[in-house]
PDB file of all heavy atoms in Angstrom:
ATOM      1  N   ILE A   1       1.892   5.027 111.462  1.00 92.00           N
ATOM      2  CA  ILE A   1       1.003   4.518 110.409  1.00 92.00           C
ATOM      3  C   ILE A   1       1.606   4.947 109.073  1.00 92.00           C
ATOM      4  O   ILE A   1       1.718   6.153 108.800  1.00 92.00           O
ATOM      5  CB  ILE A   1      -0.426   5.056 110.554  1.00 92.00           C
ATOM      6  CG1 ILE A   1      -0.996   4.734 111.934  1.00 92.00           C
ATOM      7  CG2 ILE A   1      -1.324   4.482 109.462  1.00 92.00           C
ATOM      8  CD1 ILE A   1      -2.349   5.378 112.211  1.00 92.00           C
ATOM      9  N   ASP A   2       2.031   3.973 108.260  1.00 92.00           N
ATOM     10  CA  ASP A   2       2.588   4.243 106.942  1.00 92.00           C
ATOM     11  C   ASP A   2       1.565   3.878 105.874  1.00 92.00           C
ATOM     12  O   ASP A   2       0.963   2.796 105.924  1.00 92.00           O
ATOM     13  CB  ASP A   2       3.865   3.428 106.714  1.00 92.00           C
ATOM     14  CG  ASP A   2       5.013   3.900 107.591  1.00 92.00           C
ATOM     15  OD1 ASP A   2       4.919   5.026 108.110  1.00 92.00           O
ATOM     16  OD2 ASP A   2       5.985   3.150 107.749  1.00 92.00           O
ATOM     17  N   ILE A   3       1.392   4.777 104.915  1.00 92.00           N
ATOM     18  CA  ILE A   3       0.522   4.533 103.766  1.00 92.00           C
ATOM     19  C   ILE A   3       1.378   4.652 102.514  1.00 92.00           C
ATOM     20  O   ILE A   3       1.885   5.743 102.205  1.00 92.00           O
ATOM     21  CB  ILE A   3      -0.654   5.517 103.733  1.00 92.00           C
ATOM     22  CG1 ILE A   3      -1.494   5.385 105.006  1.00 92.00           C
ATOM     23  CG2 ILE A   3      -1.518   5.288 102.501  1.00 92.00           C
ATOM     24  CD1 ILE A   3      -2.625   6.369 105.099  1.00 92.00           C
ATOM     25  N   CYS A   4       1.562   3.541 101.811  1.00 92.00           N
ATOM     26  CA  CYS A   4       2.425   3.507 100.631  1.00 92.00           C
ATOM     27  C   CYS A   4       1.579   3.221  99.397  1.00 92.00           C
ATOM     28  O   CYS A   4       0.705   2.346  99.424  1.00 92.00           O
ATOM     29  CB  CYS A   4       3.511   2.435 100.773  1.00 92.00           C
ATOM     30  SG  CYS A   4       4.467   2.535 102.302  1.00 92.00           S
ATOM     31  N   ASP A   5       1.855   3.954  98.332  1.00 91.00           N
ATOM     32  CA  ASP A   5       1.221   3.658  97.054  1.00 91.00           C
ATOM     33  C   ASP A   5       2.302   3.326  96.026  1.00 91.00           C
ATOM     34  O   ASP A   5       3.491   3.453  96.296  1.00 91.00           O
ATOM     35  CB  ASP A   5       0.345   4.825  96.580  1.00 91.00           C
ATOM     36  CG  ASP A   5       1.148   6.102  96.327  1.00 91.00           C
ATOM     37  OD1 ASP A   5       2.099   6.053  95.515  1.00 91.00           O
ATOM     38  OD2 ASP A   5       0.828   7.147  96.929  1.00 91.00           O
ATOM     39  N   HIS A   6       1.885   2.906  94.833  1.00 88.00           N
ATOM     40  CA  HIS A   6       2.806   2.505  93.771  1.00 88.00           C
ATOM     41  C   HIS A   6       2.694   3.451  92.579  1.00 88.00           C
ATOM     42  O   HIS A   6       2.935   3.045  91.440  1.00 88.00           O
ATOM     43  CB  HIS A   6       2.508   1.067  93.339  1.00 88.00           C
ATOM     44  CG  HIS A   6       2.633   0.075  94.460  1.00 88.00           C
ATOM     45  ND1 HIS A   6       3.843  -0.442  94.877  1.00 88.00           N
ATOM     46  CD2 HIS A   6       1.699  -0.465  95.282  1.00 88.00           C
ATOM     47  CE1 HIS A   6       3.644  -1.285  95.886  1.00 88.00           C
ATOM     48  NE2 HIS A   6       2.343  -1.307  96.153  1.00 88.00           N
ATOM     49  N   GLY A   7       2.393   4.711  92.877  1.00 87.00           N
ATOM     50  CA  GLY A   7       2.262   5.709  91.825  1.00 87.00           C
ATOM     51  C   GLY A   7       3.577   6.374  91.494  1.00 87.00           C
ATOM     52  O   GLY A   7       4.668   5.884  91.833  1.00 87.00           O
ATOM     53  N   PRO A   8       3.522   7.529  90.852  1.00 88.00           N
ATOM     54  CA  PRO A   8       4.749   8.234  90.435  1.00 88.00           C
ATOM     55  C   PRO A   8       5.487   8.934  91.569  1.00 88.00           C
ATOM     56  O   PRO A   8       6.582   9.461  91.357  1.00 88.00           O
ATOM     57  CB  PRO A   8       4.224   9.256  89.412  1.00 88.00           C
ATOM     58  CG  PRO A   8       2.814   9.519  89.835  1.00 88.00           C
ATOM     59  CD  PRO A   8       2.299   8.213  90.373  1.00 88.00           C
ATOM     60  N   GLY A   9       4.925   8.989  92.757  1.00 86.00           N
ATOM     61  CA  GLY A   9       5.567   9.679  93.872  1.00 86.00           C
ATOM     62  C   GLY A   9       5.106  11.119  93.992  1.00 86.00           C
ATOM     63  O   GLY A   9       4.415  11.661  93.121  1.00 86.00           O
ATOM     64  N   PHE A  10       5.506  11.747  95.088  1.00 84.00           N
ATOM     65  CA  PHE A  10       5.123  13.140  95.322  1.00 84.00           C
ATOM     66  C   PHE A  10       5.979  14.071  94.460  1.00 84.00           C
ATOM     67  O   PHE A  10       7.192  13.884  94.362  1.00 84.00           O
ATOM     68  CB  PHE A  10       5.315  13.522  96.791  1.00 84.00           C
ATOM     69  CG  PHE A  10       4.363  12.836  97.729  1.00 84.00           C
ATOM     70  CD1 PHE A  10       4.837  11.922  98.656  1.00 84.00           C
ATOM     71  CD2 PHE A  10       3.017  13.113  97.707  1.00 84.00           C
ATOM     72  CE1 PHE A  10       3.975  11.288  99.528  1.00 84.00           C
ATOM     73  CE2 PHE A  10       2.135  12.490  98.573  1.00 84.00           C
ATOM     74  CZ  PHE A  10       2.621  11.570  99.480  1.00 84.00           C
ATOM     75  N   PRO A  11       5.387  15.099  93.861  1.00 84.00           N
ATOM     76  CA  PRO A  11       6.194  16.135  93.191  1.00 84.00           C
ATOM     77  C   PRO A  11       7.058  16.876  94.211  1.00 84.00           C
ATOM     78  O   PRO A  11       6.792  16.866  95.411  1.00 84.00           O
ATOM     79  CB  PRO A  11       5.135  17.061  92.568  1.00 84.00           C
ATOM     80  CG  PRO A  11       3.876  16.258  92.532  1.00 84.00           C
ATOM     81  CD  PRO A  11       3.949  15.315  93.697  1.00 84.00           C
ATOM     82  N   ASP A  12       8.101  17.523  93.692  1.00 82.00           N
ATOM     83  CA  ASP A  12       9.013  18.253  94.583  1.00 82.00           C
ATOM     84  C   ASP A  12       8.298  19.340  95.366  1.00 82.00           C
ATOM     85  O   ASP A  12       8.607  19.584  96.535  1.00 82.00           O
ATOM     86  CB  ASP A  12      10.158  18.862  93.763  1.00 82.00           C
ATOM     87  CG  ASP A  12      11.075  17.790  93.175  1.00 82.00           C
ATOM     88  OD1 ASP A  12      11.077  16.667  93.728  1.00 82.00           O
ATOM     89  OD2 ASP A  12      11.761  18.080  92.181  1.00 82.00           O
ATOM     90  N   ALA A  13       7.334  19.997  94.737  1.00 79.00           N
ATOM     91  CA  ALA A  13       6.611  21.068  95.432  1.00 79.00           C
ATOM     92  C   ALA A  13       5.822  20.528  96.618  1.00 79.00           C
ATOM     93  O   ALA A  13       5.733  21.174  97.668  1.00 79.00           O
ATOM     94  CB  ALA A  13       5.669  21.786  94.457  1.00 79.00           C
ATOM     95  N   VAL A  14       5.269  19.329  96.473  1.00 79.00           N
ATOM     96  CA  VAL A  14       4.520  18.729  97.578  1.00 79.00           C
ATOM     97  C   VAL A  14       5.465  18.304  98.689  1.00 79.00           C
ATOM     98  O   VAL A  14       5.181  18.488  99.881  1.00 79.00           O
ATOM     99  CB  VAL A  14       3.695  17.531  97.056  1.00 79.00           C
ATOM    100  CG1 VAL A  14       3.020  16.807  98.216  1.00 79.00           C
ATOM    101  CG2 VAL A  14       2.647  18.010  96.069  1.00 79.00           C
ATOM    102  N   LEU A  15       6.614  17.727  98.328  1.00 80.00           N
ATOM    103  CA  LEU A  15       7.584  17.329  99.353  1.00 80.00           C
ATOM    104  C   LEU A  15       8.094  18.532 100.133  1.00 80.00           C
ATOM    105  O   LEU A  15       8.386  18.437 101.328  1.00 80.00           O
ATOM    106  CB  LEU A  15       8.763  16.603  98.708  1.00 80.00           C
ATOM    107  CG  LEU A  15       8.482  15.216  98.122  1.00 80.00           C
ATOM    108  CD1 LEU A  15       9.718  14.667  97.438  1.00 80.00           C
ATOM    109  CD2 LEU A  15       8.010  14.262  99.209  1.00 80.00           C
ATOM    110  N   LYS A  16       8.186  19.676  99.481  1.00 76.00           N
ATOM    111  CA  LYS A  16       8.723  20.874 100.128  1.00 76.00           C
ATOM    112  C   LYS A  16       7.672  21.597 100.952  1.00 76.00           C
ATOM    113  O   LYS A  16       7.949  22.035 102.077  1.00 76.00           O
ATOM    114  CB  LYS A  16       9.296  21.817  99.072  1.00 76.00           C
ATOM    115  CG  LYS A  16       9.920  23.076  99.650  1.00 76.00           C
ATOM    116  CD  LYS A  16      10.511  23.939  98.549  1.00 76.00           C
ATOM    117  CE  LYS A  16      11.140  25.206  99.125  1.00 76.00           C
ATOM    118  NZ  LYS A  16      11.706  26.073  98.048  1.00 76.00           N
ATOM    119  N   ASN A  17       6.459  21.725 100.415  1.00 70.00           N
ATOM    120  CA  ASN A  17       5.436  22.559 101.063  1.00 70.00           C
ATOM    121  C   ASN A  17       4.184  21.797 101.455  1.00 70.00           C
ATOM    122  O   ASN A  17       3.230  22.399 101.942  1.00 70.00           O
ATOM    123  CB  ASN A  17       5.023  23.713 100.130  1.00 70.00           C
ATOM    124  CG  ASN A  17       6.172  24.635  99.814  1.00 70.00           C
ATOM    125  OD1 ASN A  17       6.923  25.015 100.697  1.00 70.00           O
ATOM    126  ND2 ASN A  17       6.319  24.989  98.537  1.00 70.00           N
ATOM    127  N   GLY A  18       4.150  20.477 101.213  1.00 63.00           N
ATOM    128  CA  GLY A  18       2.958  19.714 101.550  1.00 63.00           C
ATOM    129  C   GLY A  18       2.624  19.788 103.022  1.00 63.00           C
ATOM    130  O   GLY A  18       3.479  19.571 103.874  1.00 63.00           O
ATOM    131  N   GLY A  19       1.379  20.128 103.340  1.00 57.00           N
ATOM    132  CA  GLY A  19       0.945  20.266 104.723  1.00 57.00           C
ATOM    133  C   GLY A  19       1.067  21.669 105.258  1.00 57.00           C
ATOM    134  O   GLY A  19       0.523  21.979 106.319  1.00 57.00           O
ATOM    135  N   HIS A  20       1.797  22.548 104.531  1.00 58.00           N
ATOM    136  CA  HIS A  20       1.977  23.921 104.999  1.00 58.00           C
ATOM    137  C   HIS A  20       1.184  24.926 104.182  1.00 58.00           C
ATOM    138  O   HIS A  20       0.960  26.049 104.620  1.00 58.00           O
ATOM    139  CB  HIS A  20       3.458  24.306 104.959  1.00 58.00           C
ATOM    140  CG  HIS A  20       4.329  23.423 105.785  1.00 58.00           C
ATOM    141  ND1 HIS A  20       4.346  23.465 107.167  1.00 58.00           N
ATOM    142  CD2 HIS A  20       5.189  22.429 105.435  1.00 58.00           C
ATOM    143  CE1 HIS A  20       5.190  22.559 107.630  1.00 58.00           C
ATOM    144  NE2 HIS A  20       5.714  21.916 106.606  1.00 58.00           N
ATOM    145  N   THR A  21       0.788  24.547 102.984  1.00 57.00           N
ATOM    146  CA  THR A  21       0.036  25.462 102.132  1.00 57.00           C
ATOM    147  C   THR A  21      -0.883  24.644 101.240  1.00 57.00           C
ATOM    148  O   THR A  21      -0.700  23.435 101.083  1.00 57.00           O
ATOM    149  CB  THR A  21       0.987  26.313 101.258  1.00 57.00           C
ATOM    150  OG1 THR A  21       0.225  27.252 100.511  1.00 57.00           O
ATOM    151  CG2 THR A  21       1.797  25.436 100.316  1.00 57.00           C
ATOM    152  N   SER A  22      -1.862  25.295 100.663  1.00 53.00           N
ATOM    153  CA  SER A  22      -2.763  24.617  99.738  1.00 53.00           C
ATOM    154  C   SER A  22      -2.198  24.697  98.327  1.00 53.00           C
ATOM    155  O   SER A  22      -1.378  25.561  98.006  1.00 53.00           O
ATOM    156  CB  SER A  22      -4.154  25.251  99.790  1.00 53.00           C
ATOM    157  OG  SER A  22      -4.077  26.629  99.455  1.00 53.00           O
ATOM    158  N   PHE A  23      -2.659  23.786  97.467  1.00 48.00           N
ATOM    159  CA  PHE A  23      -2.225  23.751  96.087  1.00 48.00           C
ATOM    160  C   PHE A  23      -3.426  24.027  95.194  1.00 48.00           C
ATOM    161  O   PHE A  23      -4.588  23.899  95.619  1.00 48.00           O
ATOM    162  CB  PHE A  23      -1.613  22.385  95.749  1.00 48.00           C
ATOM    163  CG  PHE A  23      -0.359  22.099  96.514  1.00 48.00           C
ATOM    164  CD1 PHE A  23      -0.397  21.341  97.685  1.00 48.00           C
ATOM    165  CD2 PHE A  23       0.856  22.585  96.085  1.00 48.00           C
ATOM    166  CE1 PHE A  23       0.750  21.080  98.395  1.00 48.00           C
ATOM    167  CE2 PHE A  23       2.017  22.325  96.787  1.00 48.00           C
ATOM    168  CZ  PHE A  23       1.975  21.577  97.944  1.00 48.00           C
ATOM    169  N   PRO A  24      -3.161  24.385  93.925  1.00 45.00           N
ATOM    170  CA  PRO A  24      -4.304  24.625  93.022  1.00 45.00           C
ATOM    171  C   PRO A  24      -5.178  23.387  92.880  1.00 45.00           C
ATOM    172  O   PRO A  24      -4.687  22.255  92.943  1.00 45.00           O
ATOM    173  CB  PRO A  24      -3.612  24.986  91.691  1.00 45.00           C
ATOM    174  CG  PRO A  24      -2.261  25.489  92.091  1.00 45.00           C
ATOM    175  CD  PRO A  24      -1.879  24.697  93.308  1.00 45.00           C
ATOM    176  N   ALA A  25      -6.460  23.616  92.719  1.00 43.00           N
ATOM    177  CA  ALA A  25      -7.386  22.495  92.557  1.00 43.00           C
ATOM    178  C   ALA A  25      -7.021  21.704  91.306  1.00 43.00           C
ATOM    179  O   ALA A  25      -6.565  22.249  90.299  1.00 43.00           O
ATOM    180  CB  ALA A  25      -8.821  23.018  92.457  1.00 43.00           C
ATOM    181  N   HIS A  26      -7.222  20.374  91.359  1.00 45.00           N
ATOM    182  CA  HIS A  26      -6.912  19.497  90.238  1.00 45.00           C
ATOM    183  C   HIS A  26      -8.058  18.520  90.073  1.00 45.00           C
ATOM    184  O   HIS A  26      -9.052  18.540  90.813  1.00 45.00           O
ATOM    185  CB  HIS A  26      -5.584  18.766  90.474  1.00 45.00           C
ATOM    186  CG  HIS A  26      -5.485  18.160  91.836  1.00 45.00           C
ATOM    187  ND1 HIS A  26      -6.003  16.924  92.148  1.00 45.00           N
ATOM    188  CD2 HIS A  26      -4.942  18.649  92.989  1.00 45.00           C
ATOM    189  CE1 HIS A  26      -5.759  16.651  93.419  1.00 45.00           C
ATOM    190  NE2 HIS A  26      -5.123  17.677  93.952  1.00 45.00           N
ATOM    191  N   GLU A  27      -7.901  17.637  89.089  1.00 44.00           N
ATOM    192  CA  GLU A  27      -9.012  16.751  88.749  1.00 44.00           C
ATOM    193  C   GLU A  27      -9.321  15.758  89.855  1.00 44.00           C
ATOM    194  O   GLU A  27     -10.425  15.204  89.927  1.00 44.00           O
ATOM    195  CB  GLU A  27      -8.685  15.995  87.460  1.00 44.00           C
ATOM    196  CG  GLU A  27      -7.442  15.132  87.564  1.00 44.00           C
ATOM    197  CD  GLU A  27      -7.145  14.394  86.278  1.00 44.00           C
ATOM    198  OE1 GLU A  27      -7.863  14.613  85.293  1.00 44.00           O
ATOM    199  OE2 GLU A  27      -6.195  13.598  86.263  1.00 44.00           O
ATOM    200  N   SER A  28      -8.348  15.487  90.752  1.00 46.00           N
ATOM    201  CA  SER A  28      -8.567  14.500  91.811  1.00 46.00           C
ATOM    202  C   SER A  28      -8.946  15.122  93.138  1.00 46.00           C
ATOM    203  O   SER A  28      -9.170  14.416  94.115  1.00 46.00           O
ATOM    204  CB  SER A  28      -7.298  13.645  91.988  1.00 46.00           C
ATOM    205  OG  SER A  28      -6.983  12.976  90.788  1.00 46.00           O
ATOM    206  N   GLY A  29      -8.953  16.443  93.242  1.00 43.00           N
ATOM    207  CA  GLY A  29      -9.297  17.049  94.522  1.00 43.00           C
ATOM    208  C   GLY A  29      -9.175  18.552  94.483  1.00 43.00           C
ATOM    209  O   GLY A  29      -8.885  19.165  93.444  1.00 43.00           O
ATOM    210  N   SER A  30      -9.386  19.176  95.643  1.00 41.00           N
ATOM    211  CA  SER A  30      -9.392  20.633  95.746  1.00 41.00           C
ATOM    212  C   SER A  30      -8.030  21.212  96.078  1.00 41.00           C
ATOM    213  O   SER A  30      -7.859  22.425  96.078  1.00 41.00           O
ATOM    214  CB  SER A  30     -10.389  21.066  96.839  1.00 41.00           C
ATOM    215  OG  SER A  30     -10.004  20.507  98.090  1.00 41.00           O
ATOM    216  N   GLY A  31      -7.027  20.375  96.384  1.00 51.00           N
ATOM    217  CA  GLY A  31      -5.690  20.873  96.658  1.00 51.00           C
ATOM    218  C   GLY A  31      -5.434  21.256  98.103  1.00 51.00           C
ATOM    219  O   GLY A  31      -4.365  21.773  98.414  1.00 51.00           O
ATOM    220  N   ILE A  32      -6.388  21.037  99.001  1.00 66.00           N
ATOM    221  CA  ILE A  32      -6.198  21.431 100.400  1.00 66.00           C
ATOM    222  C   ILE A  32      -6.141  20.224 101.334  1.00 66.00           C
ATOM    223  O   ILE A  32      -6.030  20.381 102.541  1.00 66.00           O
ATOM    224  CB  ILE A  32      -7.330  22.375 100.862  1.00 66.00           C
ATOM    225  CG1 ILE A  32      -8.685  21.653 100.783  1.00 66.00           C
ATOM    226  CG2 ILE A  32      -7.332  23.648 100.031  1.00 66.00           C
ATOM    227  CD1 ILE A  32      -9.823  22.446 101.387  1.00 66.00           C
ATOM    228  N   GLY A  33      -6.230  19.017 100.769  1.00 69.00           N
ATOM    229  CA  GLY A  33      -6.293  17.823 101.615  1.00 69.00           C
ATOM    230  C   GLY A  33      -5.088  17.650 102.507  1.00 69.00           C
ATOM    231  O   GLY A  33      -5.219  17.349 103.700  1.00 69.00           O
ATOM    232  N   LEU A  34      -3.890  17.838 101.944  1.00 76.00           N
ATOM    233  CA  LEU A  34      -2.680  17.639 102.744  1.00 76.00           C
ATOM    234  C   LEU A  34      -2.581  18.666 103.858  1.00 76.00           C
ATOM    235  O   LEU A  34      -2.132  18.348 104.963  1.00 76.00           O
ATOM    236  CB  LEU A  34      -1.441  17.705 101.851  1.00 76.00           C
ATOM    237  CG  LEU A  34      -1.094  16.441 101.066  1.00 76.00           C
ATOM    238  CD1 LEU A  34       0.132  16.671 100.196  1.00 76.00           C
ATOM    239  CD2 LEU A  34      -0.856  15.273 102.014  1.00 76.00           C
ATOM    240  N   MET A  35      -2.975  19.909 103.585  1.00 74.00           N
ATOM    241  CA  MET A  35      -2.921  20.932 104.628  1.00 74.00           C
ATOM    242  C   MET A  35      -3.894  20.603 105.750  1.00 74.00           C
ATOM    243  O   MET A  35      -3.565  20.733 106.935  1.00 74.00           O
ATOM    244  CB  MET A  35      -3.232  22.305 104.032  1.00 74.00           C
ATOM    245  CG  MET A  35      -3.068  23.447 105.040  1.00 74.00           C
ATOM    246  SD  MET A  35      -3.329  25.071 104.320  1.00 74.00           S
ATOM    247  CE  MET A  35      -5.096  25.024 104.016  1.00 74.00           C
ATOM    248  N   LEU A  36      -5.104  20.164 105.390  1.00 74.00           N
ATOM    249  CA  LEU A  36      -6.070  19.772 106.414  1.00 74.00           C
ATOM    250  C   LEU A  36      -5.563  18.583 107.208  1.00 74.00           C
ATOM    251  O   LEU A  36      -5.686  18.528 108.437  1.00 74.00           O
ATOM    252  CB  LEU A  36      -7.407  19.434 105.756  1.00 74.00           C
ATOM    253  CG  LEU A  36      -8.137  20.578 105.040  1.00 74.00           C
ATOM    254  CD1 LEU A  36      -9.354  20.041 104.306  1.00 74.00           C
ATOM    255  CD2 LEU A  36      -8.538  21.663 106.011  1.00 74.00           C
ATOM    256  N   THR A  37      -4.973  17.619 106.508  1.00 80.00           N
ATOM    257  CA  THR A  37      -4.465  16.416 107.174  1.00 80.00           C
ATOM    258  C   THR A  37      -3.333  16.756 108.133  1.00 80.00           C
ATOM    259  O   THR A  37      -3.317  16.314 109.287  1.00 80.00           O
ATOM    260  CB  THR A  37      -3.977  15.406 106.116  1.00 80.00           C
ATOM    261  OG1 THR A  37      -5.068  15.039 105.282  1.00 80.00           O
ATOM    262  CG2 THR A  37      -3.402  14.172 106.776  1.00 80.00           C
ATOM    263  N   SER A  38      -2.364  17.546 107.663  1.00 81.00           N
ATOM    264  CA  SER A  38      -1.227  17.909 108.517  1.00 81.00           C
ATOM    265  C   SER A  38      -1.672  18.701 109.733  1.00 81.00           C
ATOM    266  O   SER A  38      -1.195  18.472 110.850  1.00 81.00           O
ATOM    267  CB  SER A  38      -0.213  18.717 107.697  1.00 81.00           C
ATOM    268  OG  SER A  38       0.882  19.115 108.490  1.00 81.00           O
ATOM    269  N   THR A  39      -2.601  19.628 109.545  1.00 77.00           N
ATOM    270  CA  THR A  39      -3.080  20.430 110.672  1.00 77.00           C
ATOM    271  C   THR A  39      -3.780  19.562 111.709  1.00 77.00           C
ATOM    272  O   THR A  39      -3.565  19.714 112.919  1.00 77.00           O
ATOM    273  CB  THR A  39      -4.043  21.515 110.161  1.00 77.00           C
ATOM    274  OG1 THR A  39      -3.363  22.354 109.223  1.00 77.00           O
ATOM    275  CG2 THR A  39      -4.555  22.369 111.315  1.00 77.00           C
ATOM    276  N   ALA A  40      -4.609  18.625 111.241  1.00 78.00           N
ATOM    277  CA  ALA A  40      -5.318  17.740 112.174  1.00 78.00           C
ATOM    278  C   ALA A  40      -4.340  16.887 112.974  1.00 78.00           C
ATOM    279  O   ALA A  40      -4.486  16.721 114.190  1.00 78.00           O
ATOM    280  CB  ALA A  40      -6.294  16.854 111.405  1.00 78.00           C
ATOM    281  N   ILE A  41      -3.322  16.356 112.315  1.00 83.00           N
ATOM    282  CA  ILE A  41      -2.347  15.505 113.006  1.00 83.00           C
ATOM    283  C   ILE A  41      -1.534  16.319 114.007  1.00 83.00           C
ATOM    284  O   ILE A  41      -1.242  15.868 115.123  1.00 83.00           O
ATOM    285  CB  ILE A  41      -1.444  14.811 111.968  1.00 83.00           C
ATOM    286  CG1 ILE A  41      -2.267  13.824 111.144  1.00 83.00           C
ATOM    287  CG2 ILE A  41      -0.290  14.084 112.652  1.00 83.00           C
ATOM    288  CD1 ILE A  41      -1.521  13.211 109.984  1.00 83.00           C
ATOM    289  N   GLN A  42      -1.150  17.551 113.631  1.00 82.00           N
ATOM    290  CA  GLN A  42      -0.415  18.408 114.559  1.00 82.00           C
ATOM    291  C   GLN A  42      -1.255  18.754 115.781  1.00 82.00           C
ATOM    292  O   GLN A  42      -0.739  18.827 116.899  1.00 82.00           O
ATOM    293  CB  GLN A  42       0.037  19.681 113.847  1.00 82.00           C
ATOM    294  CG  GLN A  42       1.154  19.462 112.837  1.00 82.00           C
ATOM    295  CD  GLN A  42       1.525  20.736 112.109  1.00 82.00           C
ATOM    296  OE1 GLN A  42       0.995  21.811 112.391  1.00 82.00           O
ATOM    297  NE2 GLN A  42       2.431  20.621 111.147  1.00 82.00           N
ATOM    298  N   GLN A  43      -2.540  18.978 115.586  1.00 78.00           N
ATOM    299  CA  GLN A  43      -3.419  19.279 116.719  1.00 78.00           C
ATOM    300  C   GLN A  43      -3.499  18.108 117.689  1.00 78.00           C
ATOM    301  O   GLN A  43      -3.768  18.291 118.876  1.00 78.00           O
ATOM    302  CB  GLN A  43      -4.810  19.649 116.221  1.00 78.00           C
ATOM    303  CG  GLN A  43      -4.879  20.993 115.515  1.00 78.00           C
ATOM    304  CD  GLN A  43      -6.235  21.267 114.923  1.00 78.00           C
ATOM    305  OE1 GLN A  43      -7.089  20.379 114.854  1.00 78.00           O
ATOM    306  NE2 GLN A  43      -6.465  22.497 114.476  1.00 78.00           N
ATOM    307  N   LEU A  44      -3.260  16.895 117.205  1.00 81.00           N
ATOM    308  CA  LEU A  44      -3.275  15.707 118.054  1.00 81.00           C
ATOM    309  C   LEU A  44      -1.901  15.375 118.608  1.00 81.00           C
ATOM    310  O   LEU A  44      -1.708  14.322 119.221  1.00 81.00           O
ATOM    311  CB  LEU A  44      -3.813  14.510 117.254  1.00 81.00           C
ATOM    312  CG  LEU A  44      -5.262  14.645 116.756  1.00 81.00           C
ATOM    313  CD1 LEU A  44      -5.616  13.489 115.831  1.00 81.00           C
ATOM    314  CD2 LEU A  44      -6.225  14.695 117.931  1.00 81.00           C
ATOM    315  N   GLY A  45      -0.928  16.266 118.392  1.00 82.00           N
ATOM    316  CA  GLY A  45       0.414  16.056 118.930  1.00 82.00           C
ATOM    317  C   GLY A  45       1.301  15.197 118.065  1.00 82.00           C
ATOM    318  O   GLY A  45       2.368  14.765 118.512  1.00 82.00           O
ATOM    319  N   GLY A  46       0.892  14.934 116.814  1.00 87.00           N
ATOM    320  CA  GLY A  46       1.657  14.076 115.933  1.00 87.00           C
ATOM    321  C   GLY A  46       2.354  14.840 114.835  1.00 87.00           C
ATOM    322  O   GLY A  46       2.429  16.071 114.839  1.00 87.00           O
ATOM    323  N   GLN A  47       2.850  14.084 113.849  1.00 87.00           N
ATOM    324  CA  GLN A  47       3.594  14.676 112.743  1.00 87.00           C
ATOM    325  C   GLN A  47       3.342  13.873 111.480  1.00 87.00           C
ATOM    326  O   GLN A  47       3.273  12.639 111.510  1.00 87.00           O
ATOM    327  CB  GLN A  47       5.094  14.703 113.065  1.00 87.00           C
ATOM    328  CG  GLN A  47       5.948  15.344 111.984  1.00 87.00           C
ATOM    329  CD  GLN A  47       7.414  15.354 112.351  1.00 87.00           C
ATOM    330  OE1 GLN A  47       7.804  14.785 113.373  1.00 87.00           O
ATOM    331  NE2 GLN A  47       8.238  15.974 111.540  1.00 87.00           N
TER     332      GLN A  47
END
């Protein structure tokens, strides 16, 4: 399942650590979404 957007792209910090650690809260979210998402997918045997 590919999800593509037309925004500025992921910052380098997200590409390096996204899904492994939380990020500081920002105006669009709490900064833990990617970690929760990655953990859930790994628990289902995915990546």
